[in-house]
Amino acid sequence: MEQSSSPETRPQKVSRTAVLKLLIVIAVVIAIARGSLGTYWAVVVCGAAVGMFLAEHFGNSKSREVLMLLIFPLIVASIATIVPLVGQRAALGDILLWALLGFFVAVAPAAISIVGLSVLSAFVHRVTGIRLLKYEWNRSGSPEHQAGT
């Protein structure tokens, strides 16, 4: 006898529209960064966008959502920190040290990027009706959060 899987264990399908919206956000961030922000911030914001996308579509518990929301942008920022060193053929110890420093230093930029993307997405939704990144911060199993209190 075969048991049906619960909604939490069943893999969720990601629509093409959701992936297209994520790619639009990344393209806009890269276009803006070429003019003013700089490469590091563009990489961190793109990592935050992908982390929010993953948390929205594949996060079925709070710990998993936090892992995707913060750890993914931190890893991307860490990689962005060591890329110039790899090109210069630096020693492995230096690369590992800078990767670790890049991971811990990127906590504030990653958090700012996630909050900024949330605000930007809410603003775009209010103006145009299109939701780009729709991560729900109040998503919880408790009835108080669902009732809006």
Side-chain angles (χ1 to χ4, degrees):
M1 174 159 73
E2 212 173 293
Q3 293 182 358
S4 64
S5 59
S6 67
E8 286 117 20
T9 60
R10 205 175 330 143
Q12 297 179 4
K13 291 187 179 184
V14 179
S15 69
R16 286 185 179 179
T17 307
V19 173
L20 182 63
K21 288 178 182 178
L22 174 66
L23 293 176
I24 289 170
V25 169
I26 291 174
V28 168
V29 167
I30 291 172
I32 291 171
R34 290 197 49 116
S36 63
L37 286 178
T39 308
Y40 179 78
W41 271 99
V43 169
V44 172
V45 172
C46 288
V50 172
M52 287 176 70
F53 177 81
L54 293 174
E56 176 185 340
H57 290 285
F58 302 108
N60 56 6
S61 68
K62 278 290 186 195
S63 59
R64 190 169 176 183
E65 289 172 0
V66 168
L67 185 71
M68 290 179 191
L69 278 173
L70 283 178
I71 298 299
F72 193 81
L74 293 176
I75 290 172
V76 170
S78 180
I79 292 170
T81 304
I82 64 169
V83 165
L85 294 173
V86 173
Q88 296 174 357
R89 300 185 189 266
L92 182 61
D94 291 342
I95 292 173
L96 292 176
L97 176 65
W98 278 103
L100 186 64
L101 288 173
F103 185 84
F104 288 117
V105 169
V107 170
I112 291 168
S113 298
I114 290 168
V115 171
L117 283 171
S118 296
V119 170
L120 179 67
S121 179
F123 178 74
V124 168
H125 177 64
R126 183 171 292 263
V127 172
T128 65
I130 299 171
R131 272 231 187 215
L132 296 175
L133 297 169
K134 58 180 180 179
Y135 183 74
E136 297 176 20
W137 293 99
N138 291 339
R139 187 170 35 175
S140 175
S142 66
E144 302 89 43
H145 283 105
Q146 293 172 353
T149 59

